[in-house]
């Protein structure tokens, strides 16, 4: 194989000496499928076996290295007794003890009269130095007198095998041609990829995250990821669509009828979206904004503009109740020349068929529904815009599919109420353009946040009573108490019983086991104020507007991260009344918990909070992003490497601007990124 090609790295594990079928399948189970994957198997620690000692100076109970000459084999003729080999140097004698080893093997590794270097833990038995079952033995002292890396061994592969195969890879590491420009290399002291990998595996470099080799490799990862995103963006932009032509006076008419004034951020987002609609390039945009920042109205105005340009619009929500809420709002806002419909799982089959037929005949302008509106049997006549609400859990591949499904003329707008730090936005939504609504409506009063110990529940109940008397509604959240779903469920049930005694007929219960229809019914009834208190586990729907709810009580609040608490807090404070969030705790707060509460009390800005949350908990944990298929880097970290993210972003912008040829990066992309997307590109 060519010494300068990346292909060696992508080749099968079976190309490694010492890797048999069994090791290969164990490695595969760990997601290590080729040689490149093994490069990221890093030592956790190491044992330094480089210093040798004379026998007389050996220290008992320590790992020592010593060069000796085997003198005599002591192989007992009795079963279960260990084999021994007596060795010496010019200062004394030492016994190597072997349990369960064949005589032939022992003779081979410890030949009489030769000098052999041995490393292992030294013990003392009846005044004799001993090393039991030494694993590090060789006539070549260089192989022993060195630092030996130690790996985490959950896979059932020994240290020896890891050391052997990884050393083998490092010896054969191809000399790859530098893919970065000089001004980038300079930032990492010009260390090459090849050198950097070698440094990465050196025992003494464990944990040296700020060194140039580590930074360069982390940068490579971030950059390749950004480059793929940039190519996807470019590819989407190349799709020419029919421009949407509409008159701005239509939206002015709607805006003038609203009970409120749009915020500056809403107006800015709307301008960005309208520009996309009017352009001949397909829109692929994320509208990101804190809970309650008013994304719905922006998306409905964009819908109206698309309809006036002669297209159909599909508006997808994660739940029926939310779809229905959006549908009702549209009915209220738009005049009856706009044909609206709701595709509900509850509609009669006959009714559904009519809706589907109408969509196909372009007799419906705007359809609301859950993911059901993307079934195969539903064909639009002239779909021009797809809007997907509360969609922060889609991966890049799913988003791409969605964009393809809409067809060439179809613009795509995703909306997410999950504010996340900028480095994460770049990671998760790097393939999209992003509009951000940071500003909250002016009329809105900030939710007041309190913390209370469980023992003060009487105070909380008193407060709740007062709110109910003022005709306000309350959310009461009982989160996970134990790891078991059953207990979790029971805690909500018992809280429901407890509250029902105090507030008879005014409490409803919602939990993980409530079935779909029942859940919708309960939420609808709560919306219609049939209940005053809704006790629930954390299943309260995202996005639904309950303007009449003014209190959210969150029990066992330390079970949540601050971003989650902020999301839950966003369930209230949507009307003009003062709202309150009461965080309850079982016992006195730890320092960490106090810190988190302080952040929550002092800020109502989801972006700021998520930034703090990320610092406290690491990026994988905030809002469960780790589970949602978000790219996780091997070395890079959106918290600690935000500077590298910035460098990569700047470099990508430069490359895009001058339309630079990216073929130099081919090996980088092939090595680091997901083949399915790359095949489309390079
Ligand atoms: P989200 O961004 O979480 O989806 P919504 O679009 O549901 O938020 O809006 C939340 C509430 O705020 C709705 O009742 C909506 O009518 C109201 N709202 C939206 N924009 C404004 C504004 N500029 N001023 C006052 N209220 C607004
Ligand atoms: Mg919403």
């Amino acid at each position: 194989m060519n010494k300068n090609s990346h292909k060696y790295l992508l080749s099968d594990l079976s190309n490694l000496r010492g890797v048999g079928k069994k090791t290969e399948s164990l490695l595969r189970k760990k997601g290590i499928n080729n040689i490149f994957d093994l490069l990221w198997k890093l030592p956790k620690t190491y044992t330094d076996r480089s210093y040798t000692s004379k026998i007389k100076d050996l220290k008992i109970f320590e790992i020592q290295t010593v060069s000796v000459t085997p003198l005599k084999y002591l192989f007992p003729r009795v079963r279960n007794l260990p084999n021994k080999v007596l060795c010496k140097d010019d200062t004394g004698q030492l016994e190597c003890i072997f349990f369960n080893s064949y005589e032939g093997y022992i003779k081979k590794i410890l030949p009489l009269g030769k000098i052999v270097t041995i490393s292992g833990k030294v013990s003392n038995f009846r005044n004799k130095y001993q090393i039991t079952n030494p694993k590090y033995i060789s006539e070549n002292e260089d192989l022993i007198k060195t630092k030996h890396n130690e790996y985490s061994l959950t896979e059932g592969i020994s240290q020896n095998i890891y050391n052997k195969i990884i050393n083998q890879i490092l010896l054969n590491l191809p000399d790859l041609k530098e893919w970065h420009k000089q001004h980038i290399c300079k930032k990492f002291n010009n260390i090459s990829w090849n050198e950097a990998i070698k440094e990465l595996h050196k025992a003494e470099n464990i944990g040296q995250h700020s060194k140039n080799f580590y930074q360069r490799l982390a940068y490579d990862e971030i950059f390749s990821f950004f480059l793929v995103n940039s190519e996807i963006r470019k590819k989407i932009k190349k799709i020419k669509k029919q421009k949407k032509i509409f008159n701005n006076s239509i939206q002015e008419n709607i805006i003038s009828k609203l009970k409120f004034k749009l915020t500056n951020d809403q107006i800015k987002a709307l301008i960005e979206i309208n520009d996309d609609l009017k352009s001949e390039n397909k829109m692929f945009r994320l509208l990101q904004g804190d809970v309650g920042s008013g994304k719905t109205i922006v998306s409905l105005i964009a819908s109206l503009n698309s309809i006036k340009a002669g297209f159909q619009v599909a508006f997808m929500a994660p739940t029926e109740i939310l779809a229905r809420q959006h549908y009702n709002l549209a009915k209220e806002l738009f005049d009856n020349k706009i044909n609206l419909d709701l595709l509900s799982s509850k509609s009669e089959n006959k009714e559904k068929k009519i809706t589907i037929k109408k969509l196909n005949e372009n007799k419906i302008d705007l359809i609301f529904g859950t993911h059901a509106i993307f079934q195969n049997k539903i064909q639009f006549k002239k779909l021009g815009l797809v809007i997907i609400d509360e969609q922060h859990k889609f991966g890049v591949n799913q988003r791409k599919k969605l964009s393809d499904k809409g067809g060439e003329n179809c613009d795509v707008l995703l909306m997410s109420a999950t504010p996340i730090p900028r480095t994460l936005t770049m990671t998760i939504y790097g393939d999209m353009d992003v509009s951000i609504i940071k500003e909250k409506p002016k009329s809105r009063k900030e939710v007041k946040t309190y913390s209370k110990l469980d023992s003060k529940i009487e105070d909380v109940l008193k407060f709740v009573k007062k709110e109910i008397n003022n005709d306000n509604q309350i959310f009461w959240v009982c989160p996970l108490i134990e790891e078991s779903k059953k207990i979790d469920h029971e805690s909500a049930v018992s809280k429901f019983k407890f509250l029902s005694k105090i507030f008879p007929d005014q409490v409803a219960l919602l939990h993980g086991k409530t079935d779909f229809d029942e859940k919708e019914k309960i939420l609808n009834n709560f919306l219609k104020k049939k209940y005053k208190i809704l006790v629930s586990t954390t299943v309260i729907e995202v996005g639904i507007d309950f303007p009449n709810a003014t209190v959210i009580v969150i029990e066992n609040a330390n079970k949540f991260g601050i971003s989650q608490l902020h999301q839950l807090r966003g369930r209230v404070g949507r009307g003009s009344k003062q709202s309150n969030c009461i965080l309850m705790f079982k016992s006195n707060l730890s320092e960490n918990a106090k810190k988190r509460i302080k952040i929550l009390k002092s800020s109502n800005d989801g972006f700021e909070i998520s930034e703090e949350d990320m610092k406290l908990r690491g990026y994988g944990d905030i809002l469960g992003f780790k589970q949602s298929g978000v790219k996780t880097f091997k070395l890079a970290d959106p918290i600690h490497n935000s500077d590298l993210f910035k460098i990569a972003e700047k470099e990508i912008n430069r490359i895009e601007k001058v339309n630079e040829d990216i073929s130099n990066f081919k090996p980088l992309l092939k090595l680091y990124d997901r083949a399915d997307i790359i095949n489309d590109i390079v």
Side-chain angles (χ1 to χ4, degrees):
M1 214 172 282
N2 184 346
K3 202 59 199 108
N4 301 321
S5 162
H6 64 277
K7 294 212 174 93
Y8 167 72
L9 293 169
L10 291 177
S11 67
D12 269 4
L13 295 168
S14 57
N15 283 333
L16 290 169
R17 264 176 296 116
V19 173
K21 284 262 172 307
K22 191 177 142 234
T23 310
E24 190 176 345
S25 82
L26 284 169
L27 287 170
R28 272 187 195 281
K29 267 192 208 137
K30 284 280 139 190
I32 297 175
N33 293 312
N34 56 31
I35 293 179
F36 180 76
D37 292 341
L38 263 170
L39 289 178
W40 315 102
K41 177 79 193 175
L42 297 179
K44 294 275 173 266
T45 168
Y46 67 91
T47 307
D48 191 350
R49 300 179 191 272
S50 35
Y51 302 101
T52 48
S53 161
K54 289 291 182 186
I55 290 180
K56 77 170 174 35
D57 300 324
L58 284 174
K59 292 191 193 98
I60 312 292
F61 302 129
E62 283 183 21
I63 289 173
Q64 312 257 292
T65 303
V66 58
S67 289
V68 296
T69 313
L71 269 184
K72 194 173 164 192
Y73 301 124
L74 303 162
F75 297 151
R77 295 290 145 229
V78 186
R79 265 169 176 266
N80 297 330
L81 283 182
N83 289 325
K84 296 181 183 176
V85 182
L86 185 65
C87 305
K88 63 146 194 158
D89 71 0
D90 50 11
T91 67
Q93 292 193 338
L94 167 104
E95 271 179 353
C96 290
I97 315 285
F98 294 90
F99 289 91
N100 307 320
S101 287
Y102 294 111
E103 292 173 9
Y105 166 72
I106 294 172
K107 282 179 178 166
K108 203 173 121 200
I109 57 169
L110 289 170
L112 298 182
K114 295 268 171 70
I115 293 180
V116 182
T117 303
I118 305 174
S119 183
K121 199 184 221 169
V122 176
S123 58
N124 190 307
F125 184 68
R126 290 191 183 143
N127 266 340
K128 248 185 239 149
Y129 289 112
Q130 294 189 327
I131 297 183
T132 305
N133 286 337
K135 287 202 192 77
Y136 296 86
I137 302 182
S138 177
E139 287 176 60
N140 178 355
E141 64 170 7
D142 292 343
L143 288 183
I144 305 297
K145 286 173 62 180
T146 174
K147 289 168 180 148
H148 291 262
N149 287 345
E150 283 170 32
Y151 300 86
S152 53
L153 290 181
T154 46
E155 298 88 347
I157 298 169
S158 73
Q159 301 291 1
N160 253 339
I161 293 185
Y162 271 128
N163 270 293
K164 240 189 241 161
I165 56 183
I166 289 172
N167 283 333
Q168 195 185 135
I169 296 170
L170 295 180
L171 278 175
N172 292 315
L173 210 59
D175 234 336
L176 301 179
K177 196 169 150 243
E178 181 57 64
W179 40 67
H180 293 304
K181 285 268 190 292
Q182 244 178 0
H183 66 275
I184 295 294
C185 293
K186 247 170 67 190
K187 292 188 194 288
F188 308 104
N189 296 335
N190 295 313
I191 190 167
S192 69
W193 183 87
N194 172 296
E195 280 172 280
I197 291 283
K198 285 184 179 154
E199 290 297 314
L200 183 68
H201 284 271
K202 281 189 186 158
E204 60 268 33
N205 281 336
I206 293 171
Q208 298 286 329
H209 296 178
S210 58
K211 291 270 177 68
N212 63 343
F213 67 88
Y214 199 98
Q215 295 276 306
R216 191 231 142 104
L217 293 172
Y219 177 79
D220 276 338
E221 262 189 289
I222 300 165
F223 177 81
S224 77
F225 182 64
F226 279 16
L227 188 59
V228 169
N229 281 336
S230 155
E231 288 302 304
I232 296 176
R233 278 199 309 265
K234 252 193 244 166
K235 218 178 149 202
I236 292 172
K237 291 255 160 68
K238 268 192 206 136
I239 306 174
K240 293 290 172 248
K241 68 160 203 244
Q242 203 180 325
K243 293 181 190 174
K244 297 191 169 63
I245 300 164
F246 52 88
N247 195 324
N248 274 4
S249 65
I250 304 153
Q251 80 179 36
E252 295 314 325
N253 185 30
I254 293 280
I255 292 171
S256 69
K257 279 198 284 191
L258 291 175
K259 287 187 227 100
F260 48 77
K261 235 180 112 216
L262 290 182
T263 63
N264 291 328
D265 278 357
Q266 280 174 314
I267 292 169
K268 191 164 151 260
L270 195 55
I271 291 173
E272 286 167 350
I273 294 167
N274 281 342
D275 284 350
D276 284 354
L277 295 174
K278 287 176 180 169
S279 108
E280 59 173 9
N281 301 319
K282 191 172 164 122
M283 171 167 81
F284 198 41
R285 183 172 287 278
L286 172 76
L287 178 56
Q288 203 186 3
D290 215 342
V291 271
S293 60
K295 295 181 290 294
T296 319
I297 184 68
V298 173
S299 65
L300 286 178
I301 294 172
S303 304
L304 184 67
N305 287 336
S306 303
I307 293 165
K308 291 290 177 184
F311 289 89
Q312 290 174 292
V313 178
F315 200 128
M316 183 172 115
T319 59
E320 289 234 8
I321 179 160
L322 194 54
R324 189 176 296 275
Q325 196 165 52
H326 291 335
Y327 168 69
N328 289 337
L329 181 61
K331 263 204 304 208
E332 213 178 287
L333 285 176
F334 299 160
D335 61 46
N336 51 17
K337 275 186 239 133
I338 310 283
N339 295 309
L340 306 172
D341 210 340
L342 175 72
L343 194 73
S344 163
S345 62
K346 282 183 220 77
S347 327
E348 301 277 315
N349 259 341
K350 207 174 109 202
E351 220 176 304
K352 268 188 216 163
K353 274 197 185 129
I354 296 174
T355 304
I356 292 173
K357 188 157 174 280
K358 279 172 147 180
L359 280 171
N360 194 263
E361 292 166 349
N362 200 4
K363 286 185 181 149
I364 293 173
D365 300 313
L366 175 51
I367 180 85
F368 293 88
T370 60
H371 57 275
I373 53 178
F374 285 110
Q375 298 166 68
N376 280 336
K377 64 179 176 196
I378 296 180
Q379 296 294 331
F380 293 83
K381 175 95 179 197
K382 216 179 164 203
L383 188 60
L385 174 63
V386 169
I387 296 170
I388 297 165
D389 194 13
E390 298 299 349
Q391 203 39 265
H392 56 278
K393 287 196 168 156
F394 264 166
V396 174
N397 282 327
Q398 284 164 299
R399 288 202 289 270
K400 195 167 165 291
K401 250 186 227 153
L402 210 86
S403 151
D404 292 345
K405 172 146 184 148
E408 285 190 357
N409 283 324
C410 185
D411 290 311
V412 178
L413 180 66
L414 301 190
M415 299 200 283
S416 165
T418 312
I420 49 174
R422 211 175 115 66
T423 50
L424 263 193
T425 303
M426 285 194 258
T427 310
I428 301 172
Y429 298 108
D431 54 330
M432 311 184 70
D433 294 315
V434 181
S435 295
I436 295 182
I437 305 184
K438 279 208 163 160
E439 198 182 350
K440 290 260 174 70
K442 298 243 166 7
S443 61
R444 192 121 340 138
K445 294 204 177 72
E446 299 236 315
V447 178
K448 283 197 178 139
T449 303
Y450 304 91
S451 44
K452 282 271 173 212
L453 281 177
D454 275 1
S455 53
K456 300 275 182 203
I457 190 157
E458 286 303 325
D459 295 354
V460 177
L461 290 172
K462 222 192 266 167
F463 184 73
V464 164
K465 222 171 255 172
K466 203 180 85 202
E467 290 292 310
I468 290 179
N469 288 340
N470 287 334
D471 201 26
N472 295 330
Q473 289 174 290
I474 285 99
F475 288 116
W476 196 296
V477 183
C478 305
L480 269 182
I481 292 176
E482 307 289 336
E483 297 308 300
S484 135
K485 275 214 168 101
K486 188 163 168 278
I487 298 174
D488 178 32
H489 164 84
E490 279 167 6
S491 87
V493 172
S494 70
K495 188 58 65 182
F496 167 72
K497 286 183 183 152
F498 170 79
L499 289 170
S500 296
K501 274 189 202 132
I502 307 173
F503 306 99
D505 301 324
Q506 305 198 56
V507 191
L509 171 67
L510 204 66
H511 52 70
K513 289 183 187 162
T514 316
D515 79 22
F516 184 81
D517 287 346
E518 183 67 17
K519 194 163 105 186
E520 298 255 321
K521 207 167 94 194
I522 292 171
L523 286 171
N524 257 324
N525 283 336
F526 189 63
L527 206 53
K528 288 180 194 150
K529 299 201 221 173
K530 284 195 182 156
Y531 307 108
K532 294 294 186 186
I533 304 178
L534 182 64
V535 177
S536 75
T537 51
T538 48
V539 295
I540 311 177
E541 292 310 318
V542 285
I544 309 173
D545 216 8
F546 293 99
N548 198 51
T550 58
V551 181
I552 183 162
V553 179
I554 304 172
E555 287 198 44
N556 230 3
N558 54 328
K559 288 279 164 186
F560 291 109
I562 41 181
S563 291
Q564 271 172 307
L565 289 174
H566 176 70
Q567 287 278 312
L568 285 169
R569 176 169 70 175
R571 301 288 173 267
V572 297
R574 289 178 162 231
S576 53
K577 291 185 203 168
Q578 177 61 53
S579 289
N580 305 280
C581 169
I582 301 173
L583 306 172
M584 300 204 53
F585 296 88
K586 285 207 171 310
S587 55
N588 285 329
L589 299 183
S590 67
E591 280 313 306
N592 198 331
K594 275 186 198 155
K595 222 189 265 169
R596 289 159 43 191
I597 304 301
K598 203 171 148 210
I599 296 168
L600 271 176
K601 282 186 180 170
S602 64
S603 174
N604 251 298
D605 176 345
F607 289 93
E608 208 175 282
I609 287 169
S610 72
E611 199 84 50
E612 294 299 324
D613 198 15
M614 189 164 88
K615 279 185 207 148
L616 285 173
R617 293 204 296 161
Y619 79 96
D621 285 334
I622 70 167
L623 301 161
F625 275 115
K626 223 174 229 165
Q627 290 91 296
S628 60
V630 170
K631 167 104 181 168
T632 40
F633 296 105
K634 295 176 175 84
L635 305 183
D637 177 327
I639 306 173
H640 297 108
N641 301 129
S642 60
D643 51 338
L644 296 179
F645 277 77
K646 278 180 206 139
I647 299 173
E649 189 187 27
K650 201 169 148 203
E651 181 64 357
I652 292 287
N653 287 342
R654 188 192 64 77
I655 290 171
E656 283 180 358
K657 206 161 161 193
V658 299
N659 202 8
E660 198 163 279
D661 175 24
I662 62 157
S663 51
N664 267 349
F665 296 114
K666 217 167 169 171
L668 174 78
L669 293 175
K670 291 261 183 207
L671 288 175
Y672 282 86
D673 271 284
R674 299 137 299 173
D676 53 338
I677 289 180
I678 295 155
N679 289 340
D680 281 3
I681 300 168
V682 222

